[in-house]
Amino acid sequence: MTSAHITPILLLMASNIFMTVAWYGHLAHKSKPLLIVIMVSWGIAFFEYVLAVPANRIGHSVYSAAELKTMQEVITLLVFALFAVFWLGEKLTINHAVGFALIAGGAWFVFRAPLG
């Protein structure tokens, strides 16, 4: 694997951490005014874009757009699951595991050679 294969994955992982904090971090601080939460989230989301755009630009030299989007979605689910458990204190259930497994199955199809 080359850096063009690895770099987008690492950038997307970092990007998704920022995205998850921007979108869901405020749920642990519900007493804060909504306008402030929106502004802080928007500021955090800026760093998501700073990482995601180059991830996709670099990654498109070795991955298709569909593969990059699929990668991003799988990474998003993994980051979100950890965030939900450790930041929000939520429990993951068997339903979550089944849903995530179905999405992983879809990702497998995106990355495999065309059928027939």
Side-chain angles (χ1 to χ4, degrees), residues 5 8 11-12 23 31 34 40-43 52-53 61-64 67 72 74 79-80 92 98 109:
H5 288 91
L11 288 172
L12 286 172
W23 287 11
S31 64
L34 186 57
V40 169
S41 293
W42 198 16
V53 171
S61 68
V62 293
Y63 298 112
S64 70
E67 289 170 334
Q72 188 267 329
V74 170
V79 169
F80 178 77
L92 295 181
V98 169
F109 276 101

Side-chain angles (χ1 to χ4, degrees), residues 11-115:
L11 288 172
L12 286 172
M13 289 171 71
S15 167
N16 272 280
I17 291 168
F18 281 104
M19 178 188 73
T20 301
V21 170
W23 287 11
Y24 302 102
H26 62 89
L27 296 177
H29 306 285
K30 292 182 182 177
S31 64
K32 301 290 183 205
L34 186 57
L35 183 59
I36 290 178
V37 168
I38 290 169
M39 298 305 287
V40 169
S41 293
W42 198 16
I44 295 168
F46 169 78
F47 295 100
E48 173 211 346
Y49 281 84
V50 167
L51 296 165
V53 171
N56 289 308
R57 175 74 60 98
I58 295 164
H60 200 246
S61 68
V62 293
Y63 298 112
S64 70
E67 289 170 334
L68 286 165
K69 181 60 179 170
T70 302
M71 225 184 291
Q72 188 267 329
E73 293 301 333
V74 170
I75 291 167
T76 296
L77 282 176
L78 294 171
V79 169
F80 178 77
L82 292 170
F83 184 85
V85 169
F86 294 109
W87 182 259
L88 298 176
E90 296 186 359
K91 302 242 186 259
L92 295 181
T93 68
I94 190 71
N95 293 36
H96 296 110
V98 169
F100 292 172
L102 290 170
I103 292 168
W108 179 79
F109 276 101
V110 170
F111 279 91
R112 95 183 276 285
L115 300 172

